Amino acid sequence: MSIYDTLNDKQQEAVFYTEGPLLILAGAGSGKTRVLTHRIAYLIDQKGVNPWNILAITFTNKAAGEMRERVDDIVGFGSESIWVSTFHSTCVRILRRHIDLMGYDNNFTIYDSDDQKTLMKDVCKLLNIDTKVYKERNLLSAISKAKDEMIMPDEFELNAAGDFTKKKLAMVYREYEKQLRANNALDFDDLLVKTVQLFQTNPDVLDYYQDRFRYIMVDEYQDTNTVQFKLISILANKYKNLCVVGDDDQSIYKFRGANIKNILNFESEYKEARVIKLEQNYRSSSTILDAANAVIRNNYGRKDKTLWTDNGEGEKINLRQFDSAYDEADYIVDDIRRRVNSGDGSYQDHAILYRTNAQSRMFEEKFVGANVPYKIVGGVNFYARREVKDLLAYLKTIDNGKDDLAVRRIINVPKRGIGLTTINRVQESAQEREIGFYEALGGLDLIAGIGRGAAKLESFVAMIEYFKSQAETLSISDLMKEILDTTAYIESLEAEGKEEAENRIENIDELLSKIATYEESCEDERPTLSGFLEEVALVADIDSLDESSDYVVLMTLHSAKGLEFPHVYMAGMEDGIFPSYMTITGDDPEELEEERRLCYVGITRAREDLTLTCARRRMIRGETQYNKKSRFLKEIPVHLLNVGSMDEDEADIPSQNAYMKAKQSFHSKAFTQTKPKRQFTVTQQDTLDYEVGDRVRHQKFGEGLVTGITEGGRDFEVTVEFDHAGIKKMFASFAKLQKI
């Protein structure tokens, strides 16, 4: 029996078609890696192709390593001559031999992200660039995007005509490239760009590699960007034996520069291309696949294909809606424990998927409380994240100035111009006098050589003492907001770059929700800062967990791509969470299509059992919000769902009990705090520009109708039913609603 007999008809067709351009549309779980490895074996075994003439490219070192291992197993002798590597590794091998033709030494240095930041600081200093206006991180991001599109400094400067900011960027870009060349260095983007330029300017080198790589295969083609597309196109231009494998329905990395048009327009680029669809799924039940097909069919920018399987119908998809996110987490954790205790799989057979990293916090706490082992993939423990640790360090310093680690962590966060030398002198003085670090800050005149740093240190101490005085009257929630406002911590994150800042701000919002939950849970006693920090410390202490392989996996949907589990839970399936508010209210329909592809990826991670959960109300940024069920849930046919006892007609309407509980919680919190309360005695029209029944606009949630205004202890509580974001309850001073 031949090894090719184990393949299905479409897989065999893809393996046996060896000449000319080929697009393999490989649906989730359709065995694409198996096809690629068998295709390499067929080229060598049956077509007599020299292993030397084969190039296989993928994206990650892990994927390349797995493919390398499988190729070695199936091909055997001669497999070492096949190039199986990532885009960047392939380019490095080529440049090490030929970059001297472009004026570089062959022993060039590759700069990592830290090296790039250091170089950019030097560039900004040389050009007198105000880094408070033009952040180094933002400058590097702009240059990286330009290189992804093969836009060099001359073209960048030409495109910047008339735009002052872009002209500044062009100047920085040019100097950055000049400094790289002077240092005989390349950044990661250069590895691709310089290889393309090498081929464009040296026909002999290009001809050599075109003859060398007569058969080229590219995995995960839907994730390629413009420069990667250009590289492959040039290499394959002579013989056109280019086989690309991918799934446009799993293109979810637009934010990294991936261009879905590369796979959608493949037949336009290669008129004679053959297209083969791998639609038989070997992973999931037909019910799960039918749901995935139903969801993704709502996208317009895709190739038509339908996954199917011989695995059987399987169980219906569980859909559960809860009153709160707390109930949602409770149910999922209990359900996993029930399954494991009944012998229906082990912990490692279960995965919880969510849209944003911040959503892991509640599950982490539940797992710790239930003594269930877990691991976060593609992220870190919620309380170990930088921004969470920073803000907890502020609270620890306020609560206990003797915590030297906490004080030293925040003394220059956000940056206050307090250098490491100054910090070390304070530390040395504290050690010599056998006192704490913060105590030493109170006697700066006793520290030799402190110089101009004294004023900055005194300002820091004054700020901490102010927070300590505020902590005596403010709630913990209000204290945290005061810290954020006074330090401008969020603004400092935003200055680092939009993409990373969004995730970090979401985590801060989740921390505010955690604080609010703690305050509400202290029904019989007054919530205290010490009590909150103690609770967090106990929850965050997960180092004692057994680091065995048997743990529940928690990860974002982006991190889940390429993985599979018997039992999958997709949590937070609500409009505003998934898809996000920005996607719903934005003007770009492609953004919503990418979110839908992400949903498709999540659904197809499940092999046997899939549970989709959502909550009627969820605490965001310390405030209770009401969300509608995700529109993606409504795209799944009802006959595929097991909705339990949930009333479909009322599923999107916040229950009266939930509303009353939220309202009582608000009034209880507003009127039982120990801080002096400001009483509103003026009429509504003197304080608000709108009233019940008015249409208003919110900066993030868009337009909506005011349905309620309540005079609380500190502010007006406004309830708005937004057109797209659902029902929200918020404080007027924070909401900044505009009447329309």
Side-chain angles (χ1 to χ4, degrees):
M1 179 179 175
S2 167
I3 60 171
Y4 310 110
D5 293 337
T6 61
L7 305 173
N8 65 40
D9 292 344
K10 288 295 182 182
Q11 289 176 331
Q12 288 181 353
E13 184 181 351
V15 167
F16 299 156
Y17 188 84
T18 59
E19 308 303 310
L22 171 64
L23 169 61
I24 303 176
L25 290 173
S30 60
K32 65 181 178 66
T33 305
R34 182 177 175 82
V35 168
L36 281 175
T37 52
H38 279 71
R39 193 172 189 273
I40 292 172
Y42 184 79
L43 283 169
I44 298 171
D45 183 41
Q46 300 296 320
K47 304 296 289 186
V49 174
N50 190 323
W52 174 271
N53 295 133
I54 299 174
L55 169 66
I57 295 182
T58 187
F59 272 80
T60 66
N61 289 320
K62 179 183 177 184
E66 291 174 353
M67 187 179 292
R68 170 91 264 172
E69 186 176 338
R70 292 173 73 167
V71 166
D72 289 346
D73 288 343
I74 198 170
V75 173
F77 181 76
S79 66
E80 68 279 357
S81 298
I82 304 168
W83 276 29
V84 181
S85 62
T86 65
F87 273 100
H88 289 98
S89 296
T90 298
C91 291
V92 168
R93 292 178 70 175
I94 294 171
L95 291 174
R96 286 293 182 200
R97 292 186 60 183
H98 306 286
I99 200 171
D100 58 312
L101 297 173
M102 303 174 69
Y104 288 81
D105 291 340
N106 293 95
N107 62 338
F108 59 86
T109 300
I110 301 173
Y111 275 3
D112 61 19
S113 58
D114 287 337
D115 296 327
Q116 288 179 265
K117 292 173 189 174
T118 301
L119 180 60
M120 183 54 73
K121 286 180 181 178
D122 293 340
V123 169
C124 290
K125 186 175 181 180
L126 181 66
L127 298 178
N128 293 317
I129 298 293
D130 185 354
T131 54
K132 292 181 179 178
V133 178
Y134 301 95
K135 301 296 181 183
E136 292 102 329
R137 185 185 297 269
N138 294 345
L139 294 171
L140 287 169
S141 176
I143 292 172
S144 178
K145 289 178 180 177
K147 290 184 178 181
D148 280 351
E149 296 298 320
M150 287 291 295
I151 298 174
M152 297 297 100
D154 287 343
E155 183 181 354
F156 194 96
E157 187 172 9
L158 192 64
N159 295 339
D163 188 315
F164 178 79
T165 301
K166 287 185 178 179
K167 288 178 73 173
K168 278 276 189 183
L169 279 171
M171 181 173 64
V172 171
Y173 188 4
R174 187 177 298 281
E175 184 62 32
Y176 174 78
E177 288 296 284
K178 180 181 176 182
Q179 294 294 330
L180 278 174
R181 180 176 282 271
N183 294 339
N184 194 42
L186 304 180
D187 61 25
F188 273 90
D189 295 313
D190 281 332
L191 297 177
L192 295 162
V193 171
K194 297 302 180 187
T195 305
V196 171
Q197 291 177 334
L198 173 70
F199 291 154
Q200 290 173 332
T201 56
N202 294 273
D204 292 344
V205 176
L206 174 60
D207 190 60
Y208 169 80
Y209 283 101
Q210 285 178 333
D211 282 334
R212 167 76 191 265
F213 301 127
R214 300 191 180 202
Y215 294 87
I216 300 172
M217 280 162 273
V218 183
D219 194 12
E220 303 288 5
Y221 191 67
Q222 77 279 349
D223 293 334
T224 54
N225 59 25
T226 299
V227 67
Q228 290 164 337
F229 169 78
K230 191 73 175 175
L231 174 67
I232 295 302
S233 299
I234 291 175
L235 271 177
N237 193 46
K238 187 172 185 177
Y239 294 98
K240 294 193 168 47
N241 295 325
L242 173 62
C243 169
V244 300
V245 185
D247 182 5
D248 51 301
D249 289 335
Q250 296 188 72
S251 179
I252 59 174
Y253 294 120
K254 182 180 178 182
F255 66 96
R256 293 182 186 170
N259 187 351
I260 192 174
K261 292 180 181 178
N262 290 346
I263 192 168
L264 293 179
N265 297 339
F266 187 80
E267 296 114 299
S268 300
E269 185 73 19
Y270 299 94
K271 303 295 184 184
E272 68 278 25
R274 178 82 159 269
V275 180
I276 298 173
K277 299 178 183 179
L278 303 183
E279 298 172 293
Q280 182 174 358
N281 177 283
Y282 292 91
R283 175 189 299 159
S284 308
S285 68
S286 64
T287 296
I288 291 171
L289 296 182
D290 289 346
N293 289 328
V295 170
I296 202 63
R297 205 168 284 131
N298 290 277
N299 272 6
Y300 292 100
R302 66 183 295 264
K303 302 278 190 180
D304 183 51
K305 55 186 170 300
T306 302
L307 294 179
W308 62 277
T309 186
D310 286 333
N311 290 344
E313 183 176 343
E315 298 293 327
K316 286 189 175 184
I317 295 169
N318 299 306
L319 173 57
R320 297 288 183 270
Q321 186 177 35
F322 302 92
D323 267 347
S324 69
Y326 181 92
D327 297 330
E328 176 189 49
D330 230 8
Y331 169 82
I332 291 177
V333 173
D334 285 346
D335 198 52
I336 292 174
R337 290 183 67 190
R338 177 186 60 79
R339 287 181 180 278
V340 173
N341 291 339
S342 65
D344 185 15
S346 55
Y347 288 122
Q348 64 186 348
D349 295 328
H350 299 77
I352 302 175
L353 311 182
Y354 36 77
R355 181 63 182 85
T356 64
N357 279 310
Q359 290 172 257
S360 73
R361 192 268 300 175
M362 198 167 291
F363 293 107
E364 291 182 62
E365 294 186 0
K366 294 288 184 183
F367 279 131
V368 171
N371 198 29
V372 172
Y374 71 92
K375 181 177 182 180
I376 297 179
V377 176
V380 296
N381 174 280
F382 179 82
Y383 293 104
R385 292 167 188 163
R386 188 190 89 191
E387 58 281 3
V388 176
K389 288 178 72 71
D390 286 346
L391 294 175
L392 288 177
Y394 269 102
L395 294 180
K396 290 177 182 178
T397 300
I398 295 165
D399 187 56
N400 174 22
K402 294 182 179 180
D403 189 340
D404 284 2
L405 290 178
V407 179
R408 296 210 311 265
R409 181 180 183 90
I410 61 170
I411 195 168
N412 198 40
V413 176
K415 291 183 179 179
R416 303 182 177 91
I418 301 174
L420 186 60
T421 300
T422 299
I423 294 173
N424 288 340
R425 283 174 178 162
V426 175
Q427 181 66 24
E428 289 168 3
S429 176
Q431 290 173 342
E432 289 173 2
R433 294 154 60 195
E434 297 183 345
I435 59 175
F437 185 93
Y438 188 79
E439 187 179 351
L441 293 175
L444 295 176
D445 55 321
L446 300 176
I447 303 176
I450 206 69
R452 289 178 297 177
K456 297 171 183 176
L457 293 174
E458 287 171 351
S459 177
F460 171 76
V461 172
M463 181 183 67
I464 296 299
E465 291 302 315
Y466 165 74
F467 288 150
K468 286 185 176 183
S469 67
Q470 292 295 97
E472 296 175 3
T473 56
L474 291 180
S475 67
I476 307 172
S477 296
D478 288 339
L479 176 62
M480 178 55 72
K481 291 173 183 176
E482 185 69 21
I483 292 169
L484 292 170
D485 289 342
T486 303
T487 62
Y489 186 87
I490 289 178
E491 288 80 355
S492 72
L493 292 180
E494 291 172 338
E496 293 180 3
K498 181 180 177 182
E499 181 185 314
E500 184 175 0
E502 286 178 355
N503 287 331
R504 296 195 183 282
I505 292 171
E506 286 170 352
N507 290 331
I508 293 173
D509 292 340
E510 186 62 17
L511 180 61
L512 285 168
S513 296
K514 166 61 183 175
I515 294 172
T517 301
Y518 165 76
E519 290 175 326
E520 291 175 2
S521 67
C522 294
E523 297 177 351
D524 300 325
E525 57 185 17
R526 179 176 174 270
T528 64
L529 182 55
S530 297
F532 171 72
L533 292 171
E534 179 182 340
E535 180 170 306
V536 167
L538 292 174
V539 170
D541 185 20
I542 61 168
D543 294 335
S544 59
L545 284 176
D546 180 22
E547 285 296 322
S548 67
S549 60
D550 191 22
Y551 40 64
V552 180
V553 175
L554 286 77
M555 68 179 80
T556 64
L557 288 153
H558 279 102
S559 298
K561 187 171 178 291
L563 303 176
E564 58 183 76
F565 302 90
H567 308 290
V568 169
Y569 299 82
M570 289 175 63
M573 298 294 292
E574 303 139 35
D575 272 3
I577 304 294
F578 186 37
S580 67
Y581 287 122
M582 299 297 288
T583 301
I584 295 171
T585 59
D587 298 326
D588 187 356
E590 291 186 6
E591 296 290 337
L592 182 59
E593 295 215 345
E594 175 134 342
E595 289 281 287
R596 187 175 282 110
R597 292 195 291 269
L598 193 56
C599 182
Y600 171 85
V601 166
I603 292 173
T604 54
R605 298 311 94 194
R607 294 209 303 258
E608 302 170 13
D609 184 82
L610 174 64
T611 299
L612 308 171
T613 64
C614 55
R616 291 185 177 90
R617 56 187 171 94
R618 187 179 296 273
M619 193 173 286
I620 305 291
R621 293 176 293 279
E623 298 176 0
T624 300
Q625 295 185 2
Y626 294 101
N627 298 321
K628 296 180 180 180
K629 281 193 305 181
S630 171
R631 60 196 60 200
F632 300 148
L633 294 178
K634 299 174 185 179
E635 294 171 353
I636 300 175
V638 175
H639 72 273
L640 300 176
L641 300 172
N642 169 21
V643 296
S645 59
M646 184 173 68
D647 188 338
E648 281 294 297
D649 293 332
E650 299 180 359
D652 286 330
I653 304 174
S655 68
Q656 186 65 20
N657 287 338
Y659 172 78
M660 290 305 296
K661 286 179 182 177
K663 186 172 182 178
Q664 290 168 5
S665 172
F666 168 80
H667 285 294
S668 173
K669 181 178 175 183
F671 289 107
T672 58
Q673 291 174 353
T674 58
K675 63 169 283 188
K677 306 173 185 60
R678 182 171 57 136
Q679 297 299 321
F680 290 92
T681 57
V682 295
T683 58
Q684 288 184 10
Q685 53 264 38
D686 289 336
T687 55
L688 299 177
D689 296 325
Y690 48 84
E691 57 187 19
V692 174
D694 285 342
R695 296 277 298 174
V696 294
R697 180 182 291 110
H698 187 275
Q699 185 177 3
K700 182 175 182 180
F701 303 138
E703 297 181 2
L705 180 70
V706 178
T707 59
I709 297 177
T710 305
E711 186 175 330
R714 292 176 292 117
D715 199 354
F716 283 94
E717 177 194 9
V718 184
T719 304
V720 182
E721 184 171 356
F722 289 100
D723 297 343
H724 299 288
I727 299 172
K728 306 295 173 193
K729 298 173 76 67
M730 57 195 77
F731 291 124
S733 60
F734 287 100
K736 295 182 175 58
L737 299 170
Q738 294 180 344
K739 183 178 178 180
I740 56 177

PDB file of all heavy atoms in Angstrom, residues 74-92:
ATOM      1  N   ILE A  74       9.340  11.242   6.520  1.00  0.00           N
ATOM      2  CA  ILE A  74       8.683  10.682   5.341  1.00  0.00           C
ATOM      3  C   ILE A  74       9.622  10.575   4.139  1.00  0.00           C
ATOM      4  O   ILE A  74       9.492   9.683   3.314  1.00  0.00           O
ATOM      5  CB  ILE A  74       7.422  11.509   4.977  1.00  0.00           C
ATOM      6  CG1 ILE A  74       6.500  10.704   4.063  1.00  0.00           C
ATOM      7  CG2 ILE A  74       7.767  12.831   4.354  1.00  0.00           C
ATOM      8  CD1 ILE A  74       5.141  11.355   3.857  1.00  0.00           C
ATOM      9  N   VAL A  75      10.597  11.499   4.049  1.00  0.00           N
ATOM     10  CA  VAL A  75      11.501  11.508   2.901  1.00  0.00           C
ATOM     11  C   VAL A  75      12.724  10.639   3.150  1.00  0.00           C
ATOM     12  O   VAL A  75      13.172   9.895   2.278  1.00  0.00           O
ATOM     13  CB  VAL A  75      11.936  12.953   2.561  1.00  0.00           C
ATOM     14  CG1 VAL A  75      13.018  12.959   1.486  1.00  0.00           C
ATOM     15  CG2 VAL A  75      10.732  13.767   2.095  1.00  0.00           C
ATOM     16  N   GLY A  76      13.263  10.740   4.361  1.00  0.00           N
ATOM     17  CA  GLY A  76      14.446   9.944   4.689  1.00  0.00           C
ATOM     18  C   GLY A  76      15.703  10.532   4.082  1.00  0.00           C
ATOM     19  O   GLY A  76      15.964  11.730   4.187  1.00  0.00           O
ATOM     20  N   PHE A  77      16.482   9.705   3.393  1.00  0.00           N
ATOM     21  CA  PHE A  77      17.785  10.113   2.852  1.00  0.00           C
ATOM     22  C   PHE A  77      17.627  11.308   1.904  1.00  0.00           C
ATOM     23  O   PHE A  77      16.773  11.319   1.023  1.00  0.00           O
ATOM     24  CB  PHE A  77      18.444   8.950   2.112  1.00  0.00           C
ATOM     25  CG  PHE A  77      19.795   9.283   1.550  1.00  0.00           C
ATOM     26  CD1 PHE A  77      20.907   9.366   2.375  1.00  0.00           C
ATOM     27  CD2 PHE A  77      19.953   9.543   0.188  1.00  0.00           C
ATOM     28  CE1 PHE A  77      22.158   9.680   1.856  1.00  0.00           C
ATOM     29  CE2 PHE A  77      21.197   9.855  -0.327  1.00  0.00           C
ATOM     30  CZ  PHE A  77      22.302   9.922   0.508  1.00  0.00           C
ATOM     31  N   GLY A  78      18.457  12.310   2.091  1.00  0.00           N
ATOM     32  CA  GLY A  78      18.451  13.481   1.215  1.00  0.00           C
ATOM     33  C   GLY A  78      17.589  14.623   1.706  1.00  0.00           C
ATOM     34  O   GLY A  78      17.625  15.722   1.146  1.00  0.00           O
ATOM     35  N   SER A  79      16.814  14.376   2.755  1.00  0.00           N
ATOM     36  CA  SER A  79      15.893  15.414   3.220  1.00  0.00           C
ATOM     37  C   SER A  79      16.626  16.627   3.780  1.00  0.00           C
ATOM     38  O   SER A  79      16.075  17.729   3.807  1.00  0.00           O
ATOM     39  CB  SER A  79      14.952  14.844   4.284  1.00  0.00           C
ATOM     40  OG  SER A  79      15.673  14.484   5.453  1.00  0.00           O
ATOM     41  N   GLU A  80      17.876  16.423   4.201  1.00  0.00           N
ATOM     42  CA  GLU A  80      18.621  17.543   4.783  1.00  0.00           C
ATOM     43  C   GLU A  80      18.921  18.630   3.751  1.00  0.00           C
ATOM     44  O   GLU A  80      19.221  19.779   4.106  1.00  0.00           O
ATOM     45  CB  GLU A  80      19.927  17.050   5.418  1.00  0.00           C
ATOM     46  CG  GLU A  80      20.970  16.531   4.442  1.00  0.00           C
ATOM     47  CD  GLU A  80      20.725  15.090   3.988  1.00  0.00           C
ATOM     48  OE1 GLU A  80      19.770  14.481   4.494  1.00  0.00           O
ATOM     49  OE2 GLU A  80      21.495  14.593   3.145  1.00  0.00           O
ATOM     50  N   SER A  81      18.828  18.294   2.473  1.00  0.00           N
ATOM     51  CA  SER A  81      19.093  19.284   1.420  1.00  0.00           C
ATOM     52  C   SER A  81      17.892  20.182   1.141  1.00  0.00           C
ATOM     53  O   SER A  81      18.022  21.192   0.445  1.00  0.00           O
ATOM     54  CB  SER A  81      19.497  18.571   0.120  1.00  0.00           C
ATOM     55  OG  SER A  81      20.683  17.825   0.303  1.00  0.00           O
ATOM     56  N   ILE A  82      16.735  19.804   1.640  1.00  0.00           N
ATOM     57  CA  ILE A  82      15.533  20.616   1.443  1.00  0.00           C
ATOM     58  C   ILE A  82      15.573  21.792   2.408  1.00  0.00           C
ATOM     59  O   ILE A  82      15.838  21.622   3.596  1.00  0.00           O
ATOM     60  CB  ILE A  82      14.264  19.773   1.704  1.00  0.00           C
ATOM     61  CG1 ILE A  82      14.250  18.524   0.827  1.00  0.00           C
ATOM     62  CG2 ILE A  82      12.999  20.600   1.484  1.00  0.00           C
ATOM     63  CD1 ILE A  82      13.180  17.514   1.234  1.00  0.00           C
ATOM     64  N   TRP A  83      15.303  22.968   1.899  1.00  0.00           N
ATOM     65  CA  TRP A  83      15.197  24.133   2.770  1.00  0.00           C
ATOM     66  C   TRP A  83      13.798  24.165   3.368  1.00  0.00           C
ATOM     67  O   TRP A  83      12.811  24.375   2.657  1.00  0.00           O
ATOM     68  CB  TRP A  83      15.459  25.424   1.974  1.00  0.00           C
ATOM     69  CG  TRP A  83      16.911  25.761   1.834  1.00  0.00           C
ATOM     70  CD1 TRP A  83      17.953  24.885   1.805  1.00  0.00           C
ATOM     71  CD2 TRP A  83      17.472  27.072   1.693  1.00  0.00           C
ATOM     72  NE1 TRP A  83      19.137  25.564   1.653  1.00  0.00           N
ATOM     73  CE2 TRP A  83      18.882  26.910   1.576  1.00  0.00           C
ATOM     74  CE3 TRP A  83      16.947  28.349   1.645  1.00  0.00           C
ATOM     75  CZ2 TRP A  83      19.755  27.987   1.420  1.00  0.00           C
ATOM     76  CZ3 TRP A  83      17.812  29.434   1.483  1.00  0.00           C
ATOM     77  CH2 TRP A  83      19.199  29.252   1.380  1.00  0.00           C
ATOM     78  N   VAL A  84      13.707  23.962   4.675  1.00  0.00           N
ATOM     79  CA  VAL A  84      12.444  24.092   5.403  1.00  0.00           C
ATOM     80  C   VAL A  84      12.685  25.126   6.495  1.00  0.00           C
ATOM     81  O   VAL A  84      13.378  24.857   7.473  1.00  0.00           O
ATOM     82  CB  VAL A  84      11.995  22.755   6.034  1.00  0.00           C
ATOM     83  CG1 VAL A  84      10.662  22.931   6.758  1.00  0.00           C
ATOM     84  CG2 VAL A  84      11.882  21.671   4.974  1.00  0.00           C
ATOM     85  N   SER A  85      12.160  26.317   6.311  1.00  0.00           N
ATOM     86  CA  SER A  85      12.483  27.382   7.264  1.00  0.00           C
ATOM     87  C   SER A  85      11.445  28.494   7.212  1.00  0.00           C
ATOM     88  O   SER A  85      10.532  28.479   6.393  1.00  0.00           O
ATOM     89  CB  SER A  85      13.873  27.958   6.962  1.00  0.00           C
ATOM     90  OG  SER A  85      13.898  28.543   5.674  1.00  0.00           O
ATOM     91  N   THR A  86      11.629  29.466   8.095  1.00  0.00           N
ATOM     92  CA  THR A  86      10.752  30.639   8.119  1.00  0.00           C
ATOM     93  C   THR A  86      11.210  31.634   7.050  1.00  0.00           C
ATOM     94  O   THR A  86      12.300  31.515   6.483  1.00  0.00           O
ATOM     95  CB  THR A  86      10.800  31.333   9.483  1.00  0.00           C
ATOM     96  OG1 THR A  86      12.123  31.852   9.694  1.00  0.00           O
ATOM     97  CG2 THR A  86      10.439  30.369  10.606  1.00  0.00           C
ATOM     98  N   PHE A  87      10.391  32.626   6.789  1.00  0.00           N
ATOM     99  CA  PHE A  87      10.755  33.685   5.856  1.00  0.00           C
ATOM    100  C   PHE A  87      12.081  34.331   6.273  1.00  0.00           C
ATOM    101  O   PHE A  87      12.993  34.503   5.461  1.00  0.00           O
ATOM    102  CB  PHE A  87       9.657  34.756   5.814  1.00  0.00           C
ATOM    103  CG  PHE A  87       8.551  34.467   4.839  1.00  0.00           C
ATOM    104  CD1 PHE A  87       7.343  33.937   5.271  1.00  0.00           C
ATOM    105  CD2 PHE A  87       8.710  34.725   3.486  1.00  0.00           C
ATOM    106  CE1 PHE A  87       6.324  33.675   4.381  1.00  0.00           C
ATOM    107  CE2 PHE A  87       7.695  34.469   2.577  1.00  0.00           C
ATOM    108  CZ  PHE A  87       6.491  33.945   3.023  1.00  0.00           C
ATOM    109  N   HIS A  88      12.177  34.700   7.545  1.00  0.00           N
ATOM    110  CA  HIS A  88      13.358  35.431   8.008  1.00  0.00           C
ATOM    111  C   HIS A  88      14.617  34.561   7.954  1.00  0.00           C
ATOM    112  O   HIS A  88      15.686  35.042   7.564  1.00  0.00           O
ATOM    113  CB  HIS A  88      13.135  35.956   9.430  1.00  0.00           C
ATOM    114  CG  HIS A  88      12.143  37.074   9.497  1.00  0.00           C
ATOM    115  ND1 HIS A  88      10.826  36.871   9.829  1.00  0.00           N
ATOM    116  CD2 HIS A  88      12.266  38.399   9.254  1.00  0.00           C
ATOM    117  CE1 HIS A  88      10.190  38.036   9.795  1.00  0.00           C
ATOM    118  NE2 HIS A  88      11.031  38.975   9.456  1.00  0.00           N
ATOM    119  N   SER A  89      14.486  33.288   8.334  1.00  0.00           N
ATOM    120  CA  SER A  89      15.654  32.399   8.297  1.00  0.00           C
ATOM    121  C   SER A  89      16.143  32.195   6.869  1.00  0.00           C
ATOM    122  O   SER A  89      17.354  32.151   6.608  1.00  0.00           O
ATOM    123  CB  SER A  89      15.302  31.046   8.930  1.00  0.00           C
ATOM    124  OG  SER A  89      14.984  31.198  10.291  1.00  0.00           O
ATOM    125  N   THR A  90      15.220  32.050   5.941  1.00  0.00           N
ATOM    126  CA  THR A  90      15.573  31.902   4.531  1.00  0.00           C
ATOM    127  C   THR A  90      16.358  33.115   4.044  1.00  0.00           C
ATOM    128  O   THR A  90      17.403  32.989   3.385  1.00  0.00           O
ATOM    129  CB  THR A  90      14.305  31.730   3.675  1.00  0.00           C
ATOM    130  OG1 THR A  90      13.619  30.546   4.080  1.00  0.00           O
ATOM    131  CG2 THR A  90      14.649  31.644   2.197  1.00  0.00           C
ATOM    132  N   CYS A  91      15.863  34.297   4.389  1.00  0.00           N
ATOM    133  CA  CYS A  91      16.514  35.530   3.936  1.00  0.00           C
ATOM    134  C   CYS A  91      17.898  35.706   4.555  1.00  0.00           C
ATOM    135  O   CYS A  91      18.832  36.176   3.880  1.00  0.00           O
ATOM    136  CB  CYS A  91      15.624  36.733   4.267  1.00  0.00           C
ATOM    137  SG  CYS A  91      14.112  36.787   3.265  1.00  0.00           S
ATOM    138  N   VAL A  92      18.047  35.345   5.818  1.00  0.00           N
ATOM    139  CA  VAL A  92      19.359  35.466   6.471  1.00  0.00           C
ATOM    140  C   VAL A  92      20.393  34.591   5.752  1.00  0.00           C
ATOM    141  O   VAL A  92      21.529  35.030   5.499  1.00  0.00           O
ATOM    142  CB  VAL A  92      19.267  35.073   7.962  1.00  0.00           C
ATOM    143  CG1 VAL A  92      20.664  34.926   8.559  1.00  0.00           C
ATOM    144  CG2 VAL A  92      18.495  36.124   8.742  1.00  0.00           C
TER     145      VAL A  92
END
